[in-house]
Amino acid sequence: PKLDGLAALRTLRINPATHDLPLLVYSREFNQADVLQSYRAGANSFVPKPQDEAQYLALFASQLTYWLDTRDWQFNRQECVHV
């Protein structure tokens, strides 16, 4: 089934296997209503998506590194991430 972003956030939060994953919302839309809805649906962070692809990839990589380094993950980071 197809889900919009908010429904996907809610689904991930109620699933015991994914409920504590860091959920980052990247959006070109950046208004107060979207930000509040995202946080209420379970987002950990709401980030305006950069227009430039290189900036977007750098931002994503830095946030992914942060979340992987600050959480007690049960998998090997090198097996999961290839930058």
Side-chain angles (χ1 to χ4, degrees), residues 12-66:
L12 289 166
R13 283 293 177 230
I14 63 170
N15 182 335
T18 58
H19 76 276
D20 62 348
L21 288 175
L23 301 177
L24 312 174
V25 174
Y26 290 87
S27 179
R28 295 218 190 281
E29 299 296 321
F30 192 69
N31 61 58
Q32 186 175 12
D34 290 338
V35 174
L36 289 174
Q37 286 181 337
S38 295
Y39 282 119
R40 287 179 180 147
N44 293 95
S45 183
F46 188 99
V47 182
K49 191 184 295 183
Q51 298 293 326
D52 178 80
E53 182 179 351
Q55 288 176 330
Y56 173 72
L57 293 174
L59 176 63
F60 180 79
S62 70
Q63 288 192 325
L64 181 62
T65 298
Y66 168 79

